[in-house]
């Protein structure tokens, strides 16, 4: 059963990158030593098939695995498959509460007599296979709970959003601006205060203020990029601040003062 919430998360991820113009990651290269043999077999099988499809390997996310284990235990207790039981929090909320940070999330669930059977079920089902071979998803947590002769399994996938300090966020944006020829001015405090404002600015009057939220600091939003290529600005101050905790989906909030 592939999650229907996945389509909603794509829309949420797109919305996070929208401009507002006024305008520690838990992932690791491999599973922890405490992972069970069935979870390890499923993790290995997933990455084997991704490699065969020319895709990068999933990174193990302990927070996703924790959320998956809670749900797998509930499925085993109720002897039923579901992505959300009555009274249970939605998948994205369970993952967030477990400590995962993400801009996109998806889930596979199944029951079967062995790890090989579980993986075969998923790969023979188009929606489940799509999750396993999705290029956007880069992290996974797996949990398997045995009940009698059957295994109840949950795979939680995400596009992970790494934890980063305000300084680290600002440095990443500064690198993007430097690549476009803009000089970084020493006005970080003003830019941070501006970031916290819904409108207006702090400090010296800039020629423009640009605010945006994004889950990916490796590239600038298109509207910001277009503004920078006009040749009318030559320097900038970058300020990061905490995004409002209104959404389950993680993102960064950035303000750029252009001069």
């Amino acid at each position: 059963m592939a999650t229907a919430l996945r389509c909603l998360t794509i829309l949420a991820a797109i919305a996070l990158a929208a401009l507002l113009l006024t305008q520690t990651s838990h992932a690791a290269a491999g599973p922890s030593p405490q992972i069970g043999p069935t979870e390890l077999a499923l993790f290995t099988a997933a990455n084997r098939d991704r490699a065969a499809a020319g895709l990068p390997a999933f990174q193990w996310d302990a927070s996703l695995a924790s959320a998956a284990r809670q749900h797998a235990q509930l499925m085993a207790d109720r002897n039923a498959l579901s992505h959300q039981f009555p009274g249970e929090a939605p998948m994205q909320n369970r993952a967030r509460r477990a400590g995962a940070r993400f801009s996109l999330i998806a889930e596979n669930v199944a029951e079967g007599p062995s790890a090989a059977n579980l993986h075969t079920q998923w790969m023979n089902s188009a929606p489940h296979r799509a999750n396993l071979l999705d290029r956007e998803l880069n992290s996974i947590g797996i949990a398997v709970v045995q009940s009698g002769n059957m295994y109840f399994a949950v795979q939680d996938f995400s596009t992970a959003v790494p934890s980063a300090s305000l300084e680290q966020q600002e440095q990443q944006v500064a690198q993007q601006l430097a690549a476009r020829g803009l000089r970084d001015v020493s006005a970080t405090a003003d830019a941070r205060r501006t970031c916290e404002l819904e409108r207006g600015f702090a400090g010296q009057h800039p020629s423009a203020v640009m605010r945006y939220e994004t889950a990916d600091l490796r590239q600038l939003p298109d509207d910001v990029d277009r503004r920078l290529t006009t040749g009318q600005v030559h320097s900038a101050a970058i300020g990061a601040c905490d995004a409002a905790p209104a959404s389950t989906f993680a993102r960064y909030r950035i303000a750029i003062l252009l001069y």
Side-chain angles (χ1 to χ4, degrees):
M1 186 185 303
T3 176
L5 288 172
R6 190 185 182 288
C7 295
L8 297 178
T9 61
I10 292 175
L11 294 177
I14 293 172
L16 293 179
L19 277 175
L20 305 173
L21 294 177
T22 9
Q23 258 206 54
T24 307
S25 176
H26 292 267
S32 74
Q34 290 76 35
I35 187 174
T38 310
E39 287 92 348
L40 181 58
L42 290 171
F43 179 71
T44 301
N47 278 337
R48 179 193 64 222
D49 286 344
R50 285 178 70 86
L55 299 171
F58 282 128
Q59 302 296 299
W60 183 262
D61 191 305
S63 294
L64 289 179
S66 177
R69 177 154 297 280
Q70 294 174 28
H71 188 62
Q73 186 63 61
L74 195 56
M75 291 197 306
D77 292 343
R78 300 194 180 193
N79 193 32
L81 295 181
S82 177
H83 289 291
Q84 183 181 4
F85 290 103
E88 185 185 23
M91 170 189 60
Q92 65 269 32
N93 291 357
R94 300 194 304 264
R96 181 64 180 270
R97 289 173 185 171
R101 291 172 48 85
F102 50 86
S103 61
L104 178 65
I105 193 164
E107 184 173 79
N108 286 347
V109 301
E111 64 175 307
S114 66
N117 176 271
L118 292 165
H119 184 70
T120 298
Q121 287 187 57
W122 283 327
M123 290 301 290
N124 287 339
S125 164
H128 296 85
R129 180 185 178 94
N131 284 338
L132 281 158
L133 301 182
D134 191 320
R135 187 177 294 276
E136 290 185 73
L137 299 169
N138 57 27
S139 299
I140 190 171
I142 306 171
V144 181
V145 175
Q146 185 173 2
S147 179
N149 295 324
M150 298 298 288
Y151 294 95
F152 288 83
V154 177
Q155 290 179 320
D156 281 345
F157 312 88
S158 80
T159 302
V161 176
S163 291
S165 68
L166 298 183
E167 291 81 3
Q168 290 170 329
Q169 296 173 45
E170 290 156 358
Q171 288 170 5
Q172 289 196 56
V173 177
Q175 290 172 0
Q176 300 294 326
L177 299 182
R180 290 155 177 78
L182 268 72
R183 180 173 57 89
D184 186 11
V185 300
S186 300
T188 300
D190 290 340
R192 285 186 181 179
R193 287 197 294 271
T194 299
C195 182
E196 295 170 351
L197 301 173
E198 289 301 320
R199 61 182 62 191
F201 60 90
Q204 180 182 351
H205 198 299
S207 61
V209 177
M210 309 192 82
R211 297 180 181 88
Y212 64 93
E213 293 189 2
T214 182
D216 186 356
L217 291 173
R218 294 172 299 178
Q219 57 186 14
L220 297 171
D222 290 342
D223 286 356
V224 172
D225 212 15
R226 284 193 293 270
R227 183 63 178 267
L228 300 181
T229 57
T230 62
Q232 298 176 349
V233 294
H234 305 284
S235 59
I238 305 103
C241 60
D242 293 331
S247 171
T248 301
F249 299 92
R251 75 270 195 214
Y252 310 101
R253 182 174 173 87
I254 303 294
I256 302 176
L257 307 181
L258 298 174
Y259 303 96

